[in-house]
Amino acid sequence: MERTGRFRVYRGVESVPHINVQAVDDPTLYSVYRSGYADGQSTVDALETGDLIEATIAGDPADEADPWRLTAVERVGGVRTAFAVGVDPPEVARDCWTPGSRTPSYTVLTEDGDPVGVCGVQPRDPLPNGGAFVPSVLTGLLPLEAEFESVPTVGDPAVEAVFLDPDPPDASSHAWPYGVVFLFTRPSTGVAEGIRDAYDCPLDADTRPSFDPYGL
């Protein structure tokens, strides 16, 4: 069976031999092989978390253990992402958090009086794998398409995102009951650069943490 459309890339980690892509027009998540392409391997290698692609995938929906395969792929856009784990959440995130909340909340960020994005807190309670935040983002288990397409309370599409997890990916307990996401609607703002400098997570580096998602 083949499926064609737009997909969001969730690249996971290097320890896993596939990447996840999520259909934009529905919440279905597909695992696709990361290697073994006679043609187009360089295109697949260049895909990053947050990329938006036009693609055709082929596979057997009845065989959940066998990943799908990309038969055509073209990058058509995306959200540039950065990650930091084991870090203290910034004050703006702590101020945004409501104890006991099970839904995300957001604070608008401004630069020169204009909104440029938001800081959001994602409660761990509804997340899989014991509330692991960044692993849920990297594997596509935390759907973000709606937030990428229209940043909450701002309304414009996201072009950059920074994900902060106060705990490491393999934590058995959590010091903070939420993860932090910054979504920016403009590239290279001073606010975004300040966040990335503070947490050492530049956009021009692969800042995905190493972990085994099967061991969580």
Side-chain angles (χ1 to χ4, degrees), residues 14-193:
E14 291 301 321
S15 62
V16 178
H18 56 261
I19 60 179
N20 287 345
V21 297
Q22 188 156 44
V24 168
D25 58 358
D26 67 56
T28 305
L29 190 67
Y30 302 90
S31 291
V32 300
Y33 283 105
R34 193 176 67 197
S35 60
Y37 298 97
D39 298 315
Q41 184 64 58
S42 61
T43 301
V44 176
D45 288 343
L47 294 177
E48 298 180 354
T49 304
D51 280 354
L52 187 64
I53 59 174
E54 292 272 6
T56 298
I57 59 175
D60 182 359
D63 188 354
E64 296 182 358
D66 187 27
W68 294 57
R69 182 170 296 279
L70 289 159
T71 60
V73 59
E74 178 186 3
R75 186 185 182 277
V76 295
V79 178
R80 300 182 67 194
T81 58
F83 303 88
V85 298
V87 296
D88 289 333
E91 184 176 354
V92 63
R94 285 176 276 174
D95 290 342
C96 192
W97 171 246
T98 300
S101 177
R102 287 179 55 85
T103 58
S105 56
Y106 301 92
T107 296
V108 174
L109 305 173
T110 61
E111 187 164 291
D112 298 326
D114 296 323
V116 295
V118 297
C119 172
V121 290
Q122 167 63 53
R124 294 187 188 276
D125 194 15
L127 295 178
N129 298 322
F133 175 60
V134 159
S136 295
V137 173
L138 287 173
T139 53
L141 295 177
L142 176 61
L144 292 165
E145 198 57 41
E147 288 77 9
F148 284 165
E149 286 298 313
S150 178
V151 172
T153 76
V154 177
D156 296 325
V159 296
E160 295 178 5
V162 177
F163 298 94
L164 307 178
D165 199 328
D167 297 291
D170 58 354
S172 58
S173 61
H174 300 292
W176 300 84
Y178 56 83
V180 181
V181 55
F182 287 89
L183 298 172
F184 297 101
T185 58
R186 300 182 187 178
S188 303
T189 62
V191 177
E193 291 177 356

